[in-house]
Amino acid sequence: MVYSSVIRERFRRPRLRGELPRPDLAFEDVNPLCGDRIRIECRIADGRLSDARHRGDSCAICAASADLLLEMVIGRTVEEAAAVEPAALLERLEADIRPTRFRCVTLPLSVLQGALEGREVAL
Amino acid sequence: MTLGERTRPDFPILSRQIHGHPLVYLDSAASSQKPRQVLEAMQRYYERSHANVHRSIHTLGEEATELYEAARDAARGFIGARFREEVVFTRGATEGINVVARAVANMLRPGDEILVTEMEHHSNLIPWQMVCRERGAVLRAVPVSGAGFLDMEALARLLSPRTRLVAAAHVSNVLGTINPAADIVRRGREAGALVLLDGAQAAPHLPLDVAAIGCDFYVFSGHKMLGPTGIGVLYGRRETLERLEPGMGGSEMIKEVWIDHAQWNELPWRFEPGTPPIAEAVGLHAAVEYLEKLGMARVEAHERELCRLTLEALETIPGVTLYGPRNPEVKGAVVAFNVEGIHPHDGAALLDERGIAVRAGHHCAQPLMKRLGIVGTLRASFSVYNTAAEVVRLAEAVEGLRGAL
């Protein structure tokens, strides 16, 4: 099943979709396979990711992945947040993600890492 | 019996089951399936006649050369070229455009202009971006109207004595729009520009007459017209090809070689360096024969009917947005659409679960997607082997997409 109940639920009712006013860090990037764009904004306090939001135009898998990822990392240190492995996300999504959709899962991860490294958005 | 019902038994892959459903293959604009006749011709070639072409003085070499050059004659007839030296074999439409771009780059000066359109596939855009950047030339684009047509008045305005080349799709791979090829060519040539038409979505679906269209270059791919991957055709008017310097060097494209220089071979071999895709040419030959036996006018009529049925079925489904012309008479064999609340990639994955293969995404036409204000679309596209029953299955499945996630 490509669209697990976790993906459907997160896609329908995301918990962390939206924007943060005056975020400390923000980054966005596109998936070259489909043109989907995801933006993640973060607030940092005492070396920890105190809050984060995601938004953008993306498929259900990518949106669900972003939502789950932010839930996993809020409250963690910046180093911990940047070190989340794709396997951990895949496990939480409980879905049979095929290689063609793997990038849908990992795009939010690389966008989060871009934000945490303070990378510039290339438009 | 319709064309679809008659031809289906020739395509072994169409008997596959996908996720427990009979395959409905509606992605021929990306790559078509292959009839047994093509597969067998290639197999036969490798089993009986394979050797390198042109300079092998033995029986197999002669047979391979004859088969390779016979494929060129077949391609010439298929597109209505006047001379066989106007038919250059390439790896596909993309390579054909790049061959022309490399050759044209040599003629470009700073301030010269190349005119493309907003509906181009990246294949007919990026090579021109590259040569323009390299030579300090300017890239301009003819806008596309909301209804999916080229703005021909803007085209006339954008042409100037600085325009060195016009590059346009004959048929849009997203909107399906059949562009007024002869008109584009006439205007481009009047302005003194060369004209290249990207026929990747036209050659598999319409009767072609490149000599009547009058373009300088016409490119297409074998794999979208029932042939194998790895082969395509670059048609070039003889007078134009003769003026061009080859952009790629190697064996076969030379007549005589010294250590510090060489003399180029005759057309068309001047533009075919290295060992060519021989088996693929044999396969393309079989594909051309297959299509010609069906008759391209009948192929066109069959696909137009499927396109009409699809437009009719989809436009009644709530939440479906269609892109491109609504009149199947001015449209190739593609229908692009979206379903409210469903990302195209999710839509395609859900349709795949029911055995239906469609394309999803930007279709390598990101500037057009930006113009339409969307990330991507779903796209159903047709070939000779599709049937009205498959359109019904598509429509039923699309109906179930809204609210599926």
Side-chain angles (χ1 to χ4, degrees):
Chain A
M1 188 78 166
V2 183
Y3 296 94
S4 62
S5 54
V6 174
I7 291 178
R8 287 166 197 259
E9 177 60 24
R10 287 277 166 175
F11 177 61
R12 274 189 213 144
R13 281 179 285 277
R15 296 171 201 174
L16 295 161
R17 189 179 170 87
E19 46 191 300
L20 284 181
R22 293 181 301 283
D24 297 314
L25 295 167
F27 189 63
E28 61 183 79
D29 205 357
V30 294
N31 180 345
L33 296 178
C34 56
D36 283 1
R37 181 175 284 274
I38 285 269
R39 179 176 177 85
I40 290 179
E41 297 174 341
C42 308
R43 187 152 293 143
I44 309 291
D46 302 327
R48 286 180 185 274
L49 192 65
S50 61
D51 205 359
R53 292 289 183 277
H54 67 91
R55 66 180 186 275
D57 238 340
S58 79
C59 68
I61 295 174
C62 189
S65 173
D67 211 60
L68 262 177
L69 172 67
L70 295 192
E71 193 175 80
M72 287 163 70
V73 297
I74 288 173
R76 301 235 216 139
T77 66
V78 169
E79 291 72 26
E80 285 168 347
V84 172
E85 293 286 336
L89 259 178
L90 278 170
E91 195 182 324
R92 295 280 297 270
L93 286 167
E94 294 174 13
D96 171 23
I97 305 288
R98 288 182 236 159
T100 49
R101 304 298 294 280
F102 197 62
R103 188 79 182 112
C104 310
V105 175
T106 58
L107 177 66
L109 201 55
S110 62
V111 170
L112 175 67
Q113 287 161 351
L116 296 175
E117 289 164 14
R119 244 185 281 158
E120 295 281 323
V121 177
L123 285 177
Chain B
M1 209 192 276
T2 66
L3 203 61
E5 288 152 357
R6 190 148 68 81
T7 55
R8 286 182 80 76
D10 292 332
F11 293 80
I13 207 169
L14 297 180
S15 60
R16 264 199 72 169
Q17 300 274 314
I18 303 291
H19 304 302
H21 302 274
L23 168 65
V24 174
Y25 189 76
L26 299 177
D27 196 17
S28 298
S31 196
S32 74
Q33 299 301 346
K34 323 301 172 198
R36 221 180 285 280
Q37 289 83 339
V38 167
L39 307 175
E40 285 168 2
M42 294 176 74
Q43 176 95 4
R44 201 162 50 238
Y45 164 75
Y46 273 130
E47 287 180 357
R48 288 191 48 83
S49 305
H50 174 69
N52 211 335
V53 290
H54 293 141
R55 284 168 317 284
S56 305
I57 311 299
H58 51 68
T59 303
L60 296 187
E62 283 164 11
E63 284 182 21
T65 303
E66 263 172 45
L67 287 166
Y68 180 66
E69 293 300 331
R72 193 187 312 278
D73 292 324
R76 184 205 65 74
F78 184 70
I79 61 174
R82 295 164 302 165
F83 310 107
R84 68 188 318 277
E85 56 264 46
E86 296 181 320
V87 177
V88 175
F89 282 130
T90 62
R91 275 191 300 151
T94 297
E95 185 176 272
I97 294 166
N98 276 279
V99 166
V100 175
R102 289 324 314 159
V104 166
N106 296 326
M107 308 165 24
L108 282 183
R109 293 200 198 89
D112 282 351
E113 294 180 4
I114 286 179
L115 186 56
V116 295
T117 85
E118 274 183 352
M119 65 167 81
E120 293 317 305
H121 189 282
H122 296 164
S123 299
N124 199 22
L125 176 63
I126 307 299
W128 306 117
Q129 289 182 355
M130 290 164 79
V131 300
C132 282
R133 196 168 37 194
E134 187 182 309
R135 310 299 291 190
V138 180
L139 188 64
R140 299 194 183 281
V142 180
V144 175
S145 74
F149 295 101
L150 280 185
D151 182 341
M152 291 300 286
E153 281 173 27
L155 179 130
R157 257 196 327 275
L158 286 163
L159 282 167
S160 81
R162 289 184 303 277
T163 313
R164 302 302 301 272
L165 182 133
V166 179
H170 189 178
V171 174
S172 160
N173 71 313
V174 179
L175 306 167
T177 317
I178 301 173
N179 287 320
D183 199 16
I184 294 170
V185 169
R186 186 180 51 78
R187 294 185 198 214
R189 290 178 66 87
E190 274 171 15
L194 297 169
V195 181
L196 176 143
L197 294 175
D198 172 1
Q201 299 299 339
H205 307 293
L206 318 171
L208 273 182
D209 187 342
V210 290
I213 291 172
C215 51
D216 292 283
F217 307 105
Y218 197 96
V219 299
F220 58 96
S221 298
H223 72 95
K224 293 188 200 286
M225 50 178 283
L226 316 184
T229 56
I231 183 112
V233 167
L234 158 60
Y235 158 83
R237 266 163 61 94
R238 192 167 64 180
E239 301 84 331
T240 311
L241 279 185
E242 274 166 354
R243 284 165 47 206
L244 292 184
E245 276 289 299
M248 287 190 292
S251 66
E252 199 54 53
M253 52 80 69
I254 45 77
K255 191 182 272 173
E256 191 171 9
V257 178
W258 295 264
I259 198 65
D260 61 346
H261 69 287
Q263 200 183 358
W264 304 151
N265 199 347
E266 307 292 325
L267 295 174
W269 305 290
R270 188 185 300 174
F271 292 97
E272 293 181 359
T275 296
I278 310 164
E280 288 76 8
V282 169
L284 178 64
H285 188 170
V288 163
E289 280 183 348
Y290 188 90
L291 286 169
E292 283 181 335
K293 209 162 145 196
L294 297 178
M296 287 308 290
R298 282 172 60 210
V299 168
E300 182 185 23
H302 168 71
E303 292 169 358
R304 180 156 292 160
E305 176 61 9
L306 293 175
C307 189
R308 186 183 67 76
L309 290 171
T310 306
L311 289 167
E312 269 178 24
L314 294 185
E315 71 189 355
T316 62
I317 300 173
V320 167
T321 306
L322 292 162
Y323 303 94
R326 293 299 186 87
N327 175 4
E329 298 299 318
V330 295
K331 199 172 166 80
V334 303
V335 177
F337 62 100
N338 266 325
V339 179
E340 194 183 349
I342 296 286
H343 186 282
H345 277 198
D346 295 327
L350 292 164
L351 292 177
D352 179 66
E353 287 180 355
R354 303 176 121 212
I356 301 171
V358 297
R359 197 75 167 174
H362 52 63
H363 313 296
C364 299
Q366 286 185 356
L368 178 63
M369 294 297 122
K370 291 184 170 102
R371 162 73 183 79
L372 297 171
I374 52 179
V375 174
T377 74
L378 290 158
R379 181 188 71 183
S381 57
F382 308 101
S383 185
V384 295
Y385 40 71
N386 293 119
T387 64
E390 291 182 309
V391 173
V392 172
R393 273 191 58 199
L394 171 72
E396 283 169 1
V398 169
E399 208 155 359
L401 280 183
R402 202 157 67 137
L405 286 181

